[in-house]
PDB file of all heavy atoms in Angstrom:
ATOM      1  N   GLU G  17       5.192  16.933  -7.307  1.00 95.00           N
ATOM      2  CA  GLU G  17       6.565  16.580  -6.954  1.00 95.00           C
ATOM      3  C   GLU G  17       7.164  17.718  -6.147  1.00 95.00           C
ATOM      4  O   GLU G  17       6.670  18.860  -6.183  1.00 95.00           O
ATOM      5  CB  GLU G  17       7.396  16.286  -8.204  1.00 95.00           C
ATOM      6  CG  GLU G  17       7.634  17.491  -9.105  1.00 95.00           C
ATOM      7  CD  GLU G  17       8.571  17.163 -10.271  1.00 95.00           C
ATOM      8  OE1 GLU G  17       8.105  16.505 -11.221  1.00 95.00           O
ATOM      9  OE2 GLU G  17       9.741  17.578 -10.225  1.00 95.00           O
ATOM     10  N   PHE G  19       9.952  20.325  -5.613  1.00 91.00           N
ATOM     11  CA  PHE G  19      10.872  21.015  -6.520  1.00 91.00           C
ATOM     12  C   PHE G  19      11.198  22.384  -5.950  1.00 91.00           C
ATOM     13  O   PHE G  19      10.297  23.180  -5.678  1.00 91.00           O
ATOM     14  CB  PHE G  19      10.210  21.129  -7.902  1.00 91.00           C
ATOM     15  CG  PHE G  19      11.039  21.865  -8.925  1.00 91.00           C
ATOM     16  CD1 PHE G  19      12.344  21.478  -9.211  1.00 91.00           C
ATOM     17  CD2 PHE G  19      10.506  22.945  -9.610  1.00 91.00           C
ATOM     18  CE1 PHE G  19      13.105  22.162 -10.162  1.00 91.00           C
ATOM     19  CE2 PHE G  19      11.249  23.627 -10.566  1.00 91.00           C
ATOM     20  CZ  PHE G  19      12.553  23.235 -10.838  1.00 91.00           C
ATOM     21  N   PHE G  27       5.981  17.100 -13.549  1.00 98.00           N
ATOM     22  CA  PHE G  27       6.381  17.233 -14.957  1.00 98.00           C
ATOM     23  C   PHE G  27       6.152  15.920 -15.697  1.00 98.00           C
ATOM     24  O   PHE G  27       5.796  15.914 -16.869  1.00 98.00           O
ATOM     25  CB  PHE G  27       7.861  17.633 -15.045  1.00 98.00           C
ATOM     26  CG  PHE G  27       8.135  19.038 -14.590  1.00 98.00           C
ATOM     27  CD1 PHE G  27       8.526  19.311 -13.284  1.00 98.00           C
ATOM     28  CD2 PHE G  27       7.985  20.107 -15.473  1.00 98.00           C
ATOM     29  CE1 PHE G  27       8.778  20.602 -12.874  1.00 98.00           C
ATOM     30  CE2 PHE G  27       8.237  21.411 -15.068  1.00 98.00           C
ATOM     31  CZ  PHE G  27       8.633  21.668 -13.757  1.00 98.00           C
ATOM     32  N   HIS G 161      15.585   5.132 -16.870  1.00 99.00           N
ATOM     33  CA  HIS G 161      17.054   5.101 -16.942  1.00 99.00           C
ATOM     34  C   HIS G 161      17.791   5.602 -15.706  1.00 99.00           C
ATOM     35  O   HIS G 161      18.998   5.398 -15.601  1.00 99.00           O
ATOM     36  CB  HIS G 161      17.559   5.789 -18.220  1.00 99.00           C
ATOM     37  CG  HIS G 161      17.421   7.276 -18.227  1.00 99.00           C
ATOM     38  ND1 HIS G 161      18.299   8.081 -18.936  1.00 99.00           N
ATOM     39  CD2 HIS G 161      16.516   8.105 -17.652  1.00 99.00           C
ATOM     40  CE1 HIS G 161      17.931   9.329 -18.790  1.00 99.00           C
ATOM     41  NE2 HIS G 161      16.856   9.384 -18.023  1.00 99.00           N
ATOM     42  N   HIS G 162      17.091   6.265 -14.779  1.00 99.00           N
ATOM     43  CA  HIS G 162      17.749   6.632 -13.512  1.00 99.00           C
ATOM     44  C   HIS G 162      17.650   5.528 -12.461  1.00 99.00           C
ATOM     45  O   HIS G 162      18.334   5.611 -11.435  1.00 99.00           O
ATOM     46  CB  HIS G 162      17.161   7.920 -12.941  1.00 99.00           C
ATOM     47  CG  HIS G 162      17.335   9.122 -13.817  1.00 99.00           C
ATOM     48  ND1 HIS G 162      18.586   9.563 -14.211  1.00 99.00           N
ATOM     49  CD2 HIS G 162      16.436   9.949 -14.405  1.00 99.00           C
ATOM     50  CE1 HIS G 162      18.438  10.629 -15.000  1.00 99.00           C
ATOM     51  NE2 HIS G 162      17.143  10.874 -15.141  1.00 99.00           N
ATOM     52  N   GLY G 170      14.739  10.055  -9.918  1.00 98.00           N
ATOM     53  CA  GLY G 170      14.595  10.740 -11.212  1.00 98.00           C
ATOM     54  C   GLY G 170      13.361  10.305 -11.981  1.00 98.00           C
ATOM     55  O   GLY G 170      13.424  10.109 -13.194  1.00 98.00           O
ATOM     56  N   TYR G 171      12.237  10.154 -11.273  1.00 98.00           N
ATOM     57  CA  TYR G 171      10.943   9.719 -11.826  1.00 98.00           C
ATOM     58  C   TYR G 171      10.943   8.253 -12.249  1.00 98.00           C
ATOM     59  O   TYR G 171       9.978   7.803 -12.867  1.00 98.00           O
ATOM     60  CB  TYR G 171      10.513  10.556 -13.056  1.00 98.00           C
ATOM     61  CG  TYR G 171      10.575  12.044 -12.951  1.00 98.00           C
ATOM     62  CD1 TYR G 171      10.789  12.825 -14.093  1.00 98.00           C
ATOM     63  CD2 TYR G 171      10.391  12.711 -11.739  1.00 98.00           C
ATOM     64  CE1 TYR G 171      10.833  14.217 -14.021  1.00 98.00           C
ATOM     65  CE2 TYR G 171      10.444  14.097 -11.664  1.00 98.00           C
ATOM     66  CZ  TYR G 171      10.667  14.841 -12.812  1.00 98.00           C
ATOM     67  OH  TYR G 171      10.721  16.218 -12.746  1.00 98.00           O
ATOM     68  N   ASP G 198      18.676  10.785 -23.819  1.00 99.00           N
ATOM     69  CA  ASP G 198      17.921  11.663 -22.927  1.00 99.00           C
ATOM     70  C   ASP G 198      18.812  12.833 -22.485  1.00 99.00           C
ATOM     71  O   ASP G 198      20.036  12.701 -22.421  1.00 99.00           O
ATOM     72  CB  ASP G 198      17.460  10.863 -21.707  1.00 99.00           C
ATOM     73  CG  ASP G 198      16.490  11.623 -20.808  1.00 99.00           C
ATOM     74  OD1 ASP G 198      16.958  12.457 -19.992  1.00 99.00           O
ATOM     75  OD2 ASP G 198      15.279  11.376 -20.909  1.00 99.00           O
ATOM     76  N   HIS G 200      19.188  13.901 -19.572  1.00 99.00           N
ATOM     77  CA  HIS G 200      19.796  13.567 -18.282  1.00 99.00           C
ATOM     78  C   HIS G 200      20.604  12.281 -18.390  1.00 99.00           C
ATOM     79  O   HIS G 200      20.187  11.331 -19.060  1.00 99.00           O
ATOM     80  CB  HIS G 200      18.712  13.401 -17.216  1.00 99.00           C
ATOM     81  CG  HIS G 200      17.800  14.594 -17.100  1.00 99.00           C
ATOM     82  ND1 HIS G 200      16.611  14.684 -17.794  1.00 99.00           N
ATOM     83  CD2 HIS G 200      17.929  15.734 -16.381  1.00 99.00           C
ATOM     84  CE1 HIS G 200      16.028  15.843 -17.497  1.00 99.00           C
ATOM     85  NE2 HIS G 200      16.809  16.504 -16.655  1.00 99.00           N
ATOM     86  N   PHE G 228      20.970  17.442 -13.342  1.00 98.00           N
ATOM     87  CA  PHE G 228      20.586  16.172 -12.735  1.00 98.00           C
ATOM     88  C   PHE G 228      21.102  15.028 -13.618  1.00 98.00           C
ATOM     89  O   PHE G 228      21.031  15.154 -14.833  1.00 98.00           O
ATOM     90  CB  PHE G 228      19.045  16.128 -12.633  1.00 98.00           C
ATOM     91  CG  PHE G 228      18.516  14.923 -11.918  1.00 98.00           C
ATOM     92  CD1 PHE G 228      18.308  14.943 -10.550  1.00 98.00           C
ATOM     93  CD2 PHE G 228      18.224  13.759 -12.632  1.00 98.00           C
ATOM     94  CE1 PHE G 228      17.813  13.825  -9.888  1.00 98.00           C
ATOM     95  CE2 PHE G 228      17.741  12.641 -11.980  1.00 98.00           C
ATOM     96  CZ  PHE G 228      17.539  12.673 -10.608  1.00 98.00           C
ATOM     97  N   ASP G 287      13.710  15.128 -24.138  1.00 98.00           N
ATOM     98  CA  ASP G 287      13.853  16.380 -23.396  1.00 98.00           C
ATOM     99  C   ASP G 287      15.056  17.200 -23.871  1.00 98.00           C
ATOM    100  O   ASP G 287      15.369  18.240 -23.283  1.00 98.00           O
ATOM    101  CB  ASP G 287      13.902  16.146 -21.878  1.00 98.00           C
ATOM    102  CG  ASP G 287      14.739  14.954 -21.468  1.00 98.00           C
ATOM    103  OD1 ASP G 287      15.472  14.411 -22.322  1.00 98.00           O
ATOM    104  OD2 ASP G 287      14.688  14.580 -20.276  1.00 98.00           O
ATOM    105  N   ILE G 294      12.313  21.547 -18.384  1.00 98.00           N
ATOM    106  CA  ILE G 294      13.304  21.304 -17.326  1.00 98.00           C
ATOM    107  C   ILE G 294      14.693  21.008 -17.888  1.00 98.00           C
ATOM    108  O   ILE G 294      15.578  20.588 -17.148  1.00 98.00           O
ATOM    109  CB  ILE G 294      12.863  20.170 -16.360  1.00 98.00           C
ATOM    110  CG1 ILE G 294      12.780  18.804 -17.056  1.00 98.00           C
ATOM    111  CG2 ILE G 294      11.545  20.509 -15.683  1.00 98.00           C
ATOM    112  CD1 ILE G 294      12.599  17.631 -16.077  1.00 98.00           C
ATOM    113  N   GLY G 324      12.565  10.494 -21.004  1.00 98.00           N
ATOM    114  CA  GLY G 324      12.004  11.789 -20.656  1.00 98.00           C
ATOM    115  C   GLY G 324      11.417  12.532 -21.851  1.00 98.00           C
ATOM    116  O   GLY G 324      11.288  11.994 -22.958  1.00 98.00           O
ATOM    117  N   TYR G 326       9.299  16.563 -21.636  1.00 98.00           N
ATOM    118  CA  TYR G 326       8.278  17.176 -20.776  1.00 98.00           C
ATOM    119  C   TYR G 326       7.554  18.331 -21.446  1.00 98.00           C
ATOM    120  O   TYR G 326       6.680  18.944 -20.841  1.00 98.00           O
ATOM    121  CB  TYR G 326       8.926  17.578 -19.437  1.00 98.00           C
ATOM    122  CG  TYR G 326       9.638  16.359 -18.853  1.00 98.00           C
ATOM    123  CD1 TYR G 326      11.013  16.172 -19.021  1.00 98.00           C
ATOM    124  CD2 TYR G 326       8.906  15.351 -18.248  1.00 98.00           C
ATOM    125  CE1 TYR G 326      11.642  15.023 -18.563  1.00 98.00           C
ATOM    126  CE2 TYR G 326       9.522  14.197 -17.789  1.00 98.00           C
ATOM    127  CZ  TYR G 326      10.890  14.039 -17.953  1.00 98.00           C
ATOM    128  OH  TYR G 326      11.479  12.889 -17.524  1.00 98.00           O
TER     129      TYR G 326
HETATM  130  C1  OKP L 401      14.036  12.150 -15.706  1.00 83.92           C
HETATM  131  B1  OKP L 401      14.444  11.812 -17.135  1.00 83.92           B
HETATM  132  C2  OKP L 401      12.938  19.250 -12.160  1.00 83.92           C
HETATM  133  C3  OKP L 401      13.513  18.412 -11.062  1.00 83.92           C
HETATM  134  C4  OKP L 401      14.475  17.473 -11.618  1.00 83.92           C
HETATM  135  C5  OKP L 401      14.849  15.126 -11.902  1.00 83.92           C
HETATM  136  C6  OKP L 401      14.686  15.070 -13.376  1.00 83.92           C
HETATM  137  C7  OKP L 401      14.497  13.658 -13.804  1.00 83.92           C
HETATM  138  C8  OKP L 401      14.448  13.524 -15.291  1.00 83.92           C
HETATM  139  N1  OKP L 401      11.656  19.719 -11.807  1.00 83.92           N
HETATM  140  N2  OKP L 401      14.115  16.153 -11.270  1.00 83.92           N
HETATM  141  O1  OKP L 401      15.803  11.651 -17.322  1.00 83.92           O
HETATM  142  O2  OKP L 401      13.912  12.678 -18.149  1.00 83.92           O
END
Side-chain angles (χ1 to χ4, degrees):
E17 67 175 76
F19 178 54
F27 290 94
H161 72 151
H162 298 301
Y171 311 151
D198 189 279
H200 305 93
F228 185 90
D287 42 11
I294 65 169
Y326 307 98

